Amino acid sequence: MQNPTTEPIIKFDRVNKSFGDLQVLDQLSFNIDPGERVTLIGPSGSGKTTILRLLMTLERITPVKSPETDGGVIWVEGKPFSHMEKGGKLTVASERYLRRARQKVGMVFQQFNLFPNMKVLRNVTEAQVHVLKRSKDEADEKARELLDLVGLSSKVDNYPNQLSGGQQQRVAIARALAMDPDILLLDEVTSALDPELVADVLGVLRDVAENTNITMLIVTHEMGFAKDVSNRVMMFDQGTIVEEDTPEKIFSDPQEGRTQDFLRAVLAE
Amino acid sequence: MQQEWSNETVREIFPSIWQGFIVVLQVTLVAGIIAVVLGLLVAIVERIAPAGVRRVLSGVFQFIRNTPLLVQVLLVWTATSLYINPDWSAFIVGSTVLGVHYASYTSESYRAGIDAIPQGQWEAATALSLPTHRTWGAVILPQMMRRSTAAVANWIIAMFKEVPTLFIIGVLEMISQAQKYQGQHYTGAVEGYTIAGLLFLAASYPVAVAMRRLEIRLAKSNY
């Protein structure tokens, strides 16, 4: 659980997000400590994926008038993330500010989203070279190391469409890790996979969880995986946190009716 | 005016029609480069420019697409003829107008190719913090090219066949050459137009076949 002495790596302070008239996040506040692994569960439309997309800057928060007093701000590593500081005031972050800010964050998507025009190796080196300014050799070495870690060192010269979904997703994990993110977002990473391929991907992620101290936010329906890797589970419904606790507590003794209903429905699948 | 077909005339007129054909190829090259490059720029700008610029640009190209090429050629020709050296201006003006006209079509093909790229590609590029020029250069454009190349090439073939329109402002392509010959010899128009038609066929048919092959190859490629 949370340690009160360390500064949270992620802090949502009364964050709002609406799409048109639909309010997806309603004054949402929570903290995440460095190195924590947090699983977000809840029915679809409860705002879990929106939280990840806000942290990846694929969506923008819905701003409030005076963020200094009313919040509506995301903080990462003690600095404003959705906003930027200007003369002691918080204004909504510019595209330029976000470009720097988002480098601490990596994401693995449900649909893999590998670049189909690049071989596996270049999928993993492209951003290393052009964002982190690593030399080609350095990036190659790092990429081969990570592809080895995910069990795909024999596929470096293949194109993504020559790989199975599970292999593509493992490349996507290597690609995200190559950027040395402080925060890794996993958005239903096994939902698009055939059942027999799920185990390999989860196995790789278990390894990553065990061998690194990357902070992870996980949206998943794989409750066994959530139990194994996460320190904390947050149950969402309609853009607010219904209940949060250790996975042991949440899964064996959920307190809230909505959590009980949700878990019953998921486990019956 | 009824005329007998004459093989003698064919032999005599061929060199000047051939010269006209070379001019057609030159116009196609210049106009083709304009259509390919400008169309791409327009498709990209329409995606990244502020809304105001986008509206103006799309209005201008809407106008170009929806008015006849002949009208545009004559309009630009008369509007500029006062200021440009008439010795080479017909070629320049003609090629430019033709190229810009077809850029209005190629930009649509490029745009369709860009729109067909899944949103996830843009999101993956953002998640990796790729700078804008890499997102376009390494991710979007290569995938767009695969989708748009065949359509753009078809526009260029169509454009090639519209080069004779430029005879109206005196570009010495094949129709002008045939008419010039007829003006001097009072014969040869039928032979001249026939040769012109055959040269068009000879040039565009192999290209069309090659394009179909390319289309099939692209469809089978790795992405």
Side-chain angles (χ1 to χ4, degrees):
Chain A
M1 291 301 296
Q2 284 187 52
N3 180 344
T5 58
T6 52
E7 184 171 36
I9 189 168
I10 299 169
K11 182 181 160 95
F12 271 53
D13 179 17
R14 292 162 287 171
V15 170
N16 293 304
K17 175 62 187 174
S18 322
F19 295 103
D21 287 340
L22 180 70
Q23 180 135 26
V24 183
L25 300 182
D26 182 12
Q27 296 270 310
L28 177 66
S29 297
F30 63 84
N31 290 344
I32 289 173
D33 283 341
E36 242 195 319
R37 279 66 194 260
V38 179
T39 299
L40 317 182
I41 62 171
S44 61
S46 59
K48 307 160 297 191
T49 289
T50 302
I51 291 166
L52 300 198
R53 292 176 62 83
L54 283 168
L55 283 166
M56 198 61 262
T57 71
L58 299 173
E59 308 284 354
R60 305 285 187 267
I61 48 110
T62 304
V64 298
K65 251 202 201 112
S66 35
E68 295 81 8
T69 52
D70 299 340
V73 181
I74 301 172
W75 301 74
V76 169
E77 297 180 342
K79 288 197 278 278
F81 184 80
S82 60
H83 290 63
M84 50 191 184
E85 254 159 344
K86 232 183 197 172
K89 287 201 130 205
L90 290 171
T91 55
V92 174
S94 66
E95 182 52 39
R96 228 179 101 191
Y97 183 84
L98 291 175
R99 211 171 294 156
R100 289 200 72 81
R102 69 166 72 102
Q103 282 191 32
K104 306 176 184 113
V105 187
M107 184 161 182
V108 182
F109 299 89
Q110 182 175 357
Q111 297 295 341
F112 332 135
N113 297 344
L114 293 181
F115 302 132
N117 55 314
M118 301 177 193
K119 288 178 177 173
V120 163
L121 186 70
R122 200 172 142 220
N123 260 283
V124 186
T125 58
E126 174 69 22
Q128 292 189 67
V129 172
H130 294 282
V131 180
L132 302 181
K133 306 293 177 199
R134 289 182 183 147
S135 73
K136 206 183 161 301
D137 289 346
E138 211 180 333
D140 265 21
E141 199 188 315
K142 174 104 183 171
R144 285 175 195 280
E145 210 172 281
L146 286 165
L147 288 167
D148 192 40
L149 180 84
V150 302
L152 290 173
S153 40
S154 63
K155 302 288 185 189
V156 288
D157 285 324
N158 285 95
Y159 282 94
N161 79 338
Q162 298 168 322
L163 307 183
S164 73
Q167 291 171 330
Q168 289 191 46
Q169 192 60 298
R170 283 184 277 153
V171 174
I173 292 166
R175 181 173 73 170
L177 292 175
M179 301 300 286
D180 294 329
D182 297 339
I183 299 164
L184 185 63
L185 310 171
L186 304 173
D187 186 18
E188 310 223 25
V189 294
T190 57
S191 300
L193 297 178
D194 292 334
E196 73 271 18
L197 302 175
V198 169
D200 283 344
V201 170
L202 294 183
V204 163
L205 289 173
R206 281 195 180 90
D207 281 354
V208 173
E210 232 165 79
N211 299 316
T212 69
N213 52 11
I214 301 173
T215 305
M216 289 179 166
L217 260 70
I218 305 159
V219 172
T220 185
H221 289 108
E222 297 285 337
M223 296 304 154
F225 174 68
K227 208 182 270 182
D228 289 352
V229 297
S230 45
N231 321 97
R232 178 154 55 125
V233 177
M234 298 201 285
M235 165 73 195
F236 282 86
D237 195 23
Q238 294 174 353
T240 54
I241 299 170
V242 175
E243 177 172 6
E244 60 176 317
D245 214 322
T246 61
E248 292 77 19
K249 280 260 183 62
I250 288 268
F251 291 129
S252 58
D253 185 23
Q255 301 298 305
E256 298 288 326
R258 277 183 287 178
T259 316
Q260 292 162 4
D261 292 345
F262 173 75
L263 288 174
R264 207 173 302 127
V266 170
L267 295 172
E269 265 176 16
Chain B
M1 181 167 34
Q2 195 75 32
Q3 284 185 349
E4 289 270 314
W5 177 270
S6 150
N7 289 337
E8 185 59 29
T9 309
V10 169
R11 264 191 297 279
E12 260 187 44
I13 198 174
F14 188 81
S16 41
I17 301 295
W18 180 256
Q19 238 176 27
F21 183 62
I22 299 298
V23 171
V24 170
L25 294 182
Q26 288 168 340
V27 170
T28 305
L29 182 70
V30 174
I33 290 170
I34 294 172
V36 166
V37 175
L38 181 65
L40 181 58
L41 290 178
V42 169
I44 293 172
V45 170
E46 276 188 341
R47 188 100 191 184
I48 60 178
V53 177
R54 256 187 345 237
R55 255 197 302 280
V56 171
L57 196 69
S58 100
V60 167
F61 276 84
Q62 200 69 253
F63 171 79
I64 295 175
R65 252 195 310 281
N66 290 302
T67 50
L69 175 63
L70 186 61
V71 173
Q72 290 166 19
V73 169
L74 287 171
L75 178 65
V76 176
W77 174 245
T78 39
T80 58
S81 58
L82 292 173
Y83 312 104
I84 303 181
N85 178 352
D87 284 344
W88 45 267
S89 59
F91 181 88
I92 300 285
V93 169
S95 304
T96 307
V97 173
L98 190 63
V100 173
H101 185 84
Y102 272 86
S104 73
Y105 295 109
T106 58
S107 68
E108 290 288 290
S109 299
Y110 288 125
R111 201 179 55 152
I114 293 169
D115 289 349
I117 295 169
Q119 186 61 25
Q121 292 292 304
W122 296 94
E123 294 186 350
T126 302
L128 291 167
S129 303
L130 284 185
T132 312
H133 72 274
R134 281 314 285 180
T135 301
W136 279 96
V139 178
I140 301 302
L141 293 186
Q143 295 185 58
M144 178 219 67
M145 283 303 173
R146 193 184 73 88
R147 292 172 164 87
S148 306
T149 300
V152 170
N154 282 327
W155 285 122
I156 301 302
I157 296 174
M159 188 195 75
F160 167 65
K161 289 183 290 186
E162 273 207 78
V163 175
T165 306
L166 304 183
F167 99 98
I168 200 79
I169 58 170
V171 174
L172 284 175
E173 45 62 68
M174 294 186 276
I175 304 303
S176 311
Q177 292 285 6
Q179 294 200 336
K180 204 169 105 190
Y181 184 91
Q182 203 209 13
Q184 289 160 359
H185 300 85
Y186 305 105
T187 180
V190 175
E191 291 85 348
Y193 297 149
T194 306
I195 295 168
L198 289 173
L199 285 173
F200 268 117
L201 181 67
S204 47
Y205 183 71
V207 177
V209 171
M211 282 329 300
R212 207 160 312 138
R213 289 227 183 105
L214 177 68
E215 241 170 285
I216 292 166
R217 225 188 67 197
L218 288 173
K220 280 194 209 146
S221 78
N222 277 315
Y223 58 95

